[in-house]
Every structure is written in structure tokens, then in C-alpha cells.
Amino acid sequence: MKAYRLLTEEDTSAFCHKVTEALNKGWALYGDPSYAFDAASGKMRCAQAVTKETEGEYSPDVKLGQL
């Protein structure tokens, strides 16, 4: 199964740590990161898609963060 996640976070080092953790768990970057202003919070937010090949069949019950 190929899994997909979209990691998001405020534009702080927390975002870099979140992406780094995913990479160290076997996820791979997918596409370019995005950067946008969140008007509700008044802060900039980052997003990065990641994918991972894993055993098993897809189900909506799969906890992507635990792969």
C-alpha cells in the first residue's frame, strides 16, 4: 500500500521537526512545500506532503501517523 499524509504546522522549527521525524520513519517527500497565511490565527503555516510504501491493504481505519 502507498500511504499519503499532508503535514502542516505554524512556520516555526516545529514544522521542520515534524517533517524530519516523518523522514526518519521512512516517509518520503512528495512535491514542494507550501506556505500560506492563516487569517484566523494571524500566522504563517507550512505544509509538506509525504508518502510511504508499506505492507497491508488500505482501509480508512489506518492510522497514518503510526505507519
Side-chain angles (χ1 to χ4, degrees):
M1 153 177 97
K2 188 166 199 169
Y4 170 92
R5 293 175 66 197
L6 181 64
L7 306 174
T8 62
E9 184 66 55
E10 287 182 15
D11 183 23
T12 66
S13 63
F15 174 73
C16 294
H17 287 286
K18 186 182 278 192
V19 174
T20 299
E21 180 182 21
L23 294 174
N24 281 282
K25 289 184 175 182
W27 292 84
L29 298 177
Y30 183 82
D32 295 328
S34 296
Y35 191 63
F37 182 71
D38 180 356
S41 68
K43 298 179 181 178
M44 295 301 290
R45 294 193 60 85
C46 299
Q48 174 65 58
V50 293
T51 61
K52 183 177 185 180
E53 287 287 342
T54 185
E55 293 183 16
E57 295 293 321
Y58 171 73
S59 163
D61 298 326
V62 171
K63 303 290 186 209
L64 297 172
Q66 294 175 0
L67 294 177

